[in-house]
Amino acid sequence: MSLPEQGLSRRVLRNETLLVLALSLGASGVSALISFVGSVTRPGALKNQAATLVGSHAPGRPWLDLAWQLFGIATALVPVFLVAHLLLREGVGLRAIGFDRRRPGFD
C-alpha cells in the first residue's frame, strides 16, 4: 500500500483515521454501551421501563449521569481536535482561525 503523494507518514494517517472513527462510530458505540448499562442496571424489568425526554440520564445513579455528561463533552470536542489536527498537519496553524495564545484577551 503506497502513501499519498504528500508523503504523509503512517502515524499521521493512523491518527486521522482514529479521529474520524472516534467522531462517528466510536461515539455511537460508547453511547449505546452507556445506555445499555443504564437500562440493565435500572431496577425492574426492561419491559416496564420508559424513556424520559428531559432530565437526568440516570436518576439516583450519579456515576452513570456523570458518564453521560462527560461523554457529551468529549464527543463535542472531537470535531474541534480534528480541525486542529488537520490545520497543524498542513502547516497552517491555529492562528489561521483566530486562535493565538499570545493575545488571549483578543481571542
Side-chain angles (χ1 to χ4, degrees):
M1 177 165 82
S2 65
L3 296 177
E5 290 181 45
Q6 295 131 336
L8 298 175
S9 70
R10 288 186 184 273
R11 181 177 180 219
V12 169
L13 294 174
R14 178 188 50 107
N15 289 343
E16 289 177 5
T17 302
L18 290 175
L19 283 169
V20 171
L21 288 175
L23 182 60
S24 57
L25 300 176
S28 296
V30 171
S31 174
L33 179 65
I34 295 172
S35 180
F36 178 72
V37 168
S39 295
V40 171
T41 60
R42 184 178 298 148
L46 283 174
K47 68 179 181 177
N48 297 330
Q49 296 179 19
T52 303
L53 297 179
V54 178
S56 173
H57 287 287
R61 294 174 293 165
W63 61 270
L64 194 57
D65 193 46
L66 176 63
W68 272 114
Q69 291 178 29
L70 293 175
F71 171 73
I73 293 168
T75 55
L77 289 176
V78 171
V80 175
F81 291 136
L82 180 60
V83 167
H85 168 77
L86 293 173
L87 285 170
L88 292 171
R89 182 191 79 180
E90 294 299 317
V92 176
L94 298 177
R95 287 188 192 134
I97 58 172
F99 186 74
D100 185 1
R101 295 187 313 192
R102 291 182 296 170
R103 299 179 348 188
F106 185 74
D107 287 341

